[in-house]
Amino acid sequence: MSEPEVPQSTLSADGIAAVPHHVAIIMDGNGRWAAARGLPRVEGHRRGVEALRRTIRAAGEIGIRIITIFSFSSENWSRPAAEVGELMGLLRRFIRNDLAELHKSGVRVRIIGERAGLEADIGRLLIEAEELTKENTGLTLVVAFNYGARQEIAGAARRAAEAVAQGTLKPQDITVDTIAGFLDTADMPDPDLIIRTSGEQRLSNFLLWQSAYSELVFVPANWPDFDRATLEGAIREYRQRERRFGGLSGAAAAKTGS
Ligand code: FPP
């Protein structure tokens, strides 16, 4: 079988250095994509998995090092049981069908979110995906599953409190870095760019701590239509932003002589 053709990049050659290291994606609009076609919502989620495969491949080719995807939020349990069941089934199938290929491509899989309360076989699949790929040095795929940022921050505060109670941490020593070290993302850099599809403009309890200085790009496409060109468009928008991290712009700093 011949290799699938790699689409021509729309990024200029000098853009390589400006590729964000860590891109996080809120994959929104599956239901609307399906409704617009008279299809059941579940079909939107299925096509969403195809968009995810395309995006992982494109991210690796573009040179992104970490991609975090919001695949099931702590709040998604409030959806009808059939849809929740379908989303669980899609994760199962994604790991069973795609893990070997991801491993072969050098992708390292990490999972963030609450494991307690998940069905036992899903818990095992998550461990298997992380274990199998833990030595890989290619793209890191972080799957936020049963993830909520407020829950994650509360968990970090709980762990800090436990360390204080055990006498291994002094309250006065708790810093931003201490809390960051208790998050699920402890050893990962913050996302440079967060993309949300479907035109909605909010974070919906996704990476609230880590997004303090992320650039946010909102694209109108629904997630099942997302592809390499959409990703590159978001990266181009990212490259036009000036990241100041609370400091001054280059021009303002030059004027003040600092
Ligand atoms: C939001 O669209 C999307 C989700 C809640 C689930 C995202 C899941 C996938 C793309 C597939 C599963 C992922 C893996 C890793 C197997 P929505 O349903 O809220 O769309 P709507 O706002 O148009 O209703």
Side-chain angles (χ1 to χ4, degrees):
M1 209 173 82
S2 65
E3 287 290 306
E5 198 181 319
V6 177
Q8 192 64 37
S9 171
T10 54
L11 287 177
S12 60
D14 71 337
I16 300 295
V19 168
H21 184 91
H22 182 177
V23 176
I25 308 184
I26 303 175
M27 310 181 289
D28 197 12
N30 294 347
R32 274 163 285 169
W33 182 93
R37 289 157 181 80
L39 297 169
R41 292 178 56 80
V42 55
E43 192 52 35
H45 295 315
R46 286 184 194 139
R47 296 291 286 262
V49 176
E50 289 172 24
L52 175 60
R53 290 192 183 105
R54 281 199 294 277
T55 304
I56 294 169
R57 205 176 316 122
E61 289 165 2
I62 288 170
I64 292 164
R65 299 296 302 154
I66 306 175
I67 183 158
T68 299
I69 51 150
F70 203 4
S71 81
F72 190 86
S73 80
S74 309
E75 289 73 31
N76 285 153
W77 294 105
S78 65
R79 295 190 176 206
E83 183 169 340
V84 169
E86 185 63 37
L87 288 167
M88 296 291 151
L90 283 177
L91 180 82
R92 281 189 181 95
R93 289 199 288 282
F94 178 69
I95 296 180
R96 286 191 192 128
N97 299 338
D98 290 45
L99 183 60
E101 186 63 35
L102 291 170
H103 182 44
K104 213 169 97 192
S105 320
V107 173
R108 180 178 181 196
V109 180
R110 306 280 305 269
I111 316 289
I112 58 171
E114 182 57 56
R115 308 278 176 108
L118 294 178
E119 288 178 58
D121 72 307
I122 291 193
R124 283 194 295 273
L125 283 169
L126 298 182
I127 292 169
E128 183 191 335
E130 287 192 312
E131 279 298 310
L132 179 71
T133 62
K134 68 180 179 200
E135 308 290 351
N136 289 348
T137 55
L139 176 79
T140 297
L141 170 67
V142 184
V143 181
F145 191 77
N146 195 22
Y147 173 85
R150 288 176 168 178
Q151 291 83 342
E152 180 192 30
I153 294 166
R158 211 160 36 239
R159 285 194 275 277
E162 281 161 9
V164 169
Q166 285 162 11
T168 55
L169 179 66
K170 294 197 187 85
Q172 62 271 28
D173 291 340
I174 296 177
T175 63
V176 165
D177 287 344
T178 316
I179 298 297
F182 283 118
L183 296 173
D184 295 0
T185 53
D187 56 349
M188 298 174 205
D190 290 340
D192 301 291
L193 166 64
I194 297 182
I195 302 170
R196 182 173 187 144
T197 58
S198 89
E200 306 287 352
Q201 302 193 358
R202 56 179 173 271
L203 285 175
S204 301
N205 205 14
F206 184 50
L207 301 178
L208 297 182
W209 176 283
Q210 299 85 344
S211 61
Y213 286 101
S214 303
E215 295 298 328
L216 309 182
V217 171
F218 302 103
V219 302
N222 286 320
W223 176 249
D225 288 329
F226 196 88
D227 59 12
R228 182 177 175 142
T230 333
L231 177 61
E232 292 187 351
I235 293 173
R236 271 197 300 278
E237 190 168 333
Y238 164 84
R239 289 173 59 197
Q240 282 160 14
R241 307 273 177 90
E242 187 185 12
R243 302 188 75 194
R244 294 198 293 276
F245 299 96
L248 295 180
S249 70
K255 247 189 201 162
T256 58
S258 53

